[in-house]
Amino acid sequence: MVLGNYKNCVSARAADPAILSASQDGGIVTQLFAFALEEGIIDGAIVAGQGDEPYKPEPVVATTVAELMEARGTRYTICPNVSMIKEATRSYGLDKVGIVGTPCQIQAVRKAQLYPMGMRAVPDKIALAIGIFCMENFPYQGLETMVEDLCNVKMESAVKMDIGKGKFSVYTERGAVSQIPLKLTHKFEQGGCHVCLDYVANLADVSTGSVGSPDGWSTVFTRTKAGESIWGKAIEAGYFETKPIEDVKPGLDLVTKLATDKITKNQKTLDERASFGVGKGLRNPYI
Amino acid sequence: MEEKPVAEKITIGHVHMSGCTGCLVSLADNYEGLFTLLDNYADLNYCLTLADVRDIPKMDVALVEGSVCINDHHSVEDIKKARENATIVVALGSCAAYGNITRFARGGQWNQPQHEAYVPIGDLINVDLHLPGCPPSKEAIRNVAVMAYLLLRGTDEQKELAAAYLKPLMDLAQRGNEACGCDLIYDVINQGICMGCGTCAAACPVRAITIEGGKPNVDRDLCIKCGACYAQCPRSFFNFDVMNQFEAISEAIDAAMGKGDE
């Protein structure tokens, strides 16, 4: 079950070229939230907006398509989206909250729904949780070192960053591409990512990511009744182009392989933590 | 929902120690959900705020709110009696579980200046579950009540689910009776498992937590020691066996509460 429970999996991309112009892959998150917003399925979404430094995201409660557009693109650093989940139901007054997050953030959302301790009124107001595939994340200073020192690109001239095919790539506004082997980035990974046992956001309503689909397209899992229903309505309304995942390369085999690799490696880390000291270990949150 | 004979219900009491009644208000904040609970699953057989039963009776579940003033002998007797008379003792809210704001009590106020020392109930009796929060969320109180019913009156399958659901809250009670924003430092960040999701900042009732550089920063002079941040953190406990069924469990609770597809 390395891919979690899901009802359906396709390769897809947004139908709106304006969304695709600056989306990381197939524009799934932006397009699906835009659809849900227009249809009244959500009345706002917590997304990774622009922070005060280049490529430093900040959680934003987006209530317009324009605000959603601002949040397009992957920022390979921490954006504490769940920090806004209660506020979205308070001063923002939302009744139907959308949230996008990495697998750990979607786990946090589900825990807040099933075991709400400081989260009054949150459980019933989560209308659409979109999860993004995530292998690991980096603290901002780690990302800065990778981009500025290793790739020799200024953070402010980067227009896109991407991890794929064993490389970390930075694209600049003037058309240059700078790449380093992923191996060089490992030491900058956030330590807390090494105990994570979820690659494809198993607990989301809909999860999406680049792996498995061609460039410009995304792999999309629909997982819950809510996710299936919203996705179905969006397809019916013509918001996405889709292909059966079986018809695209590299397809689900690669997703399964990377998910298995991540879980196997991190399970080993968890096992090692149990006997990290001498007759003593470190805490395991899962037991 | 079919009507159930009263005999099948469990009995729940609300025991008010040194609390503010906000935990009881949170239970009442379930609105019609509270009536569904009382119609179908539980009799409230003790609650000084709502009913005229003077002494702590036998009950299946004691929801205890507030901490215990050890300088007040009636309070000390009450908490002991609650333990003696209840099958399951729930520390409802952060005062009962962790002391919360009463940690800062130090006596010297009229007209009982000697009332200076307060302890969480777990310092005096064995507590089965912690349900922290200041206030505790209404939904969590409802879930615990429904799960306690299933644990005591359900089928084997329901008992198993209820036991799995309640386990992390039982583990919290075993873990100890001290809480603070520092828990995030000691048991999450220092343990190398914080991943910067921001849940703690959302859970904090006094906005003492901000996320700086991808990690929580706790203003410890603002913190009231409620323990919500650690309890809510997905890296304090994350029980996959329950969490992987979040959709089915949410639907089951909704069905139990008479909420269909709305």
Side-chain angles (χ1 to χ4, degrees):
Chain A
M1 290 302 289
V2 296
L3 302 182
N5 297 319
Y6 63 93
K7 298 181 188 298
N8 196 17
C9 180
V10 293
S11 191
R13 72 174 176 190
D16 183 350
I19 287 178
L20 289 174
S21 68
S23 63
Q24 185 73 13
D25 298 299
I28 306 298
V29 178
T30 310
Q31 182 80 84
L32 193 54
F33 275 150
F35 170 75
L37 206 51
E38 285 159 6
E39 291 298 306
I41 294 166
I42 59 171
D43 41 26
I46 303 167
V47 295
Q50 189 53 56
D52 54 9
E53 287 180 68
Y55 277 82
K56 188 177 202 173
E58 190 179 283
V60 166
V61 179
T63 53
T64 63
V65 174
E67 286 169 308
L68 290 173
M69 296 291 263
E70 289 287 303
R72 285 172 299 168
T74 300
R75 269 65 54 85
Y76 286 100
T77 187
I78 299 146
C79 186
N81 279 7
V82 191
S83 66
M84 294 303 288
I85 200 170
K86 191 161 74 177
E87 196 59 29
T89 70
R90 301 298 198 273
S91 58
Y92 290 88
L94 303 191
D95 287 322
K96 293 168 277 184
V97 179
I99 183 165
V100 61
T102 50
C104 58
Q105 295 179 329
I106 302 300
Q107 289 179 344
V109 171
R110 297 315 183 192
K111 176 170 170 180
Q113 289 185 276
L114 274 191
Y115 293 98
M117 285 170 279
M119 293 282 186
R120 179 188 174 276
V122 170
D124 296 339
K125 295 195 173 177
I126 306 298
L128 176 58
I130 304 182
I132 46 182
F133 302 178
C134 178
M135 191 56 88
E136 73 277 308
N137 205 347
F138 303 91
Y140 187 70
Q141 290 78 2
L143 182 68
E144 235 176 356
T145 311
M146 286 151 54
V147 173
E148 301 211 327
D149 293 357
L150 302 182
C151 291
N152 209 14
V153 172
K154 280 186 171 179
M155 290 291 268
E156 50 267 44
S157 29
V159 289
K160 182 170 181 170
M161 297 177 197
D162 185 47
I163 291 179
K165 303 177 184 80
K167 291 190 172 65
F168 174 71
S169 310
V170 183
Y171 302 82
T172 73
E173 56 192 347
R174 297 171 70 176
V177 187
S178 187
Q179 292 184 319
I180 52 170
L182 212 47
K183 207 175 139 199
L184 292 181
T185 68
H186 290 333
K187 69 173 173 183
F188 301 109
E189 290 167 3
Q190 170 177 237
C193 295
H194 296 155
V195 298
C196 175
L197 303 177
D198 188 347
Y199 176 52
V200 287
N202 294 352
L203 300 185
D205 292 308
V206 174
S207 28
T208 184
S210 67
V211 172
S213 292
D215 288 351
W217 290 71
S218 300
T219 302
V220 180
F221 292 97
T222 49
R223 299 183 177 281
T224 62
K225 286 176 190 162
E228 191 181 37
S229 147
I230 295 167
W231 182 254
K233 285 178 193 162
I235 297 289
E236 205 167 301
Y239 276 66
F240 292 100
E241 280 180 72
T242 66
K243 295 176 185 172
I245 192 72
E246 298 76 22
D247 294 354
V248 303
K249 294 279 177 208
L252 269 188
D253 287 349
L254 183 65
V255 186
T256 307
K257 182 190 178 297
L258 293 185
T260 308
D261 288 352
K262 173 175 178 178
I263 293 165
T264 308
K265 176 167 121 330
N266 290 348
Q267 184 59 56
K268 188 162 169 269
T269 304
L270 277 163
D271 295 344
E272 286 164 1
R273 287 172 58 92
S275 57
F276 197 82
V278 178
K280 292 182 179 209
L282 295 169
R283 216 169 60 72
N284 181 343
Y286 307 129
I287 52 174
Chain B
M1 186 111 284
E2 66 182 293
E3 212 151 309
K4 291 197 166 60
V6 171
E8 279 189 27
K9 289 188 192 175
I10 60 171
T11 51
I12 294 185
H14 172 259
V15 181
H16 199 301
M17 305 302 299
S18 293
C20 73
T21 332
C23 295
L24 181 64
V25 171
S26 279
L27 170 64
D29 195 22
N30 281 294
Y31 282 82
E32 66 272 26
L34 175 62
F35 296 127
T36 305
L37 267 180
L38 297 178
D39 284 344
N40 299 324
Y41 306 107
D43 278 324
L44 189 68
N45 69 342
Y46 175 72
C47 177
L48 290 177
T49 309
L50 299 173
D52 195 19
V53 176
R54 303 299 175 91
D55 295 313
I56 297 175
K58 290 269 181 208
M59 52 201 158
D60 292 313
V61 179
L63 300 175
V64 183
E65 83 165 88
S67 61
V68 187
C69 176
I70 61 172
N71 315 108
D72 172 3
H73 70 93
H74 289 296
S75 294
V76 176
E77 281 164 26
D78 278 355
I79 195 63
K80 288 179 179 171
K81 191 156 190 196
R83 175 69 277 182
E84 215 172 282
N85 283 359
T87 310
I88 299 171
V89 172
V90 178
L92 176 63
S94 295
C95 287
Y98 298 120
N100 202 33
I101 198 74
T102 68
R103 286 290 187 192
F104 300 92
R106 51 194 290 279
Q109 288 180 309
W110 293 116
N111 59 356
Q112 300 284 3
Q114 78 287 11
H115 282 192
E116 62 180 26
Y118 293 75
V119 291
I121 64 171
D123 278 7
L124 299 182
I125 61 167
N126 287 324
V127 173
D128 299 297
L129 317 182
H130 273 183
L131 183 42
C134 181
S137 302
K138 56 178 179 163
E139 299 89 348
I141 308 175
R142 173 201 64 194
N143 292 357
V144 165
V146 170
M147 291 296 175
Y149 172 81
L150 294 180
L151 189 71
L152 298 170
R153 298 282 188 275
T155 62
D156 286 351
E157 198 184 343
Q158 288 170 327
K159 281 187 173 123
E160 200 180 319
L161 169 69
Y165 177 87
L166 296 171
K167 182 177 181 294
L169 304 177
M170 297 171 73
D171 291 344
L172 278 182
Q174 290 301 312
R175 176 175 169 266
N177 308 317
E178 293 172 15
C180 176
C182 290
D183 294 345
L184 298 172
I185 299 175
Y186 300 143
D187 282 353
V188 187
I189 302 171
N190 291 172
Q191 287 284 312
I193 49 180
C194 176
M195 41 56 186
C197 66
T199 305
C200 50
C204 179
V206 296
R207 299 177 196 263
I209 303 173
T210 49
I211 307 294
E212 314 280 350
K215 294 281 183 281
N217 187 47
V218 183
D219 184 336
R220 283 168 291 157
D221 282 344
L222 274 182
C223 171
I224 56 167
K225 296 184 183 287
C226 74
C229 54
Y230 178 76
Q232 197 70 72
C233 169
R235 291 282 169 85
S236 60
F237 70 83
F238 197 83
N239 47 344
F240 283 109
D241 57 338
V242 171
M243 228 60 82
N244 284 339
Q245 306 176 60
F246 75 91
E247 196 181 13
I249 294 175
S250 304
E251 284 174 0
I253 292 173
D254 280 352
M257 299 309 292
K259 276 199 270 182
D261 301 274
E262 287 167 52

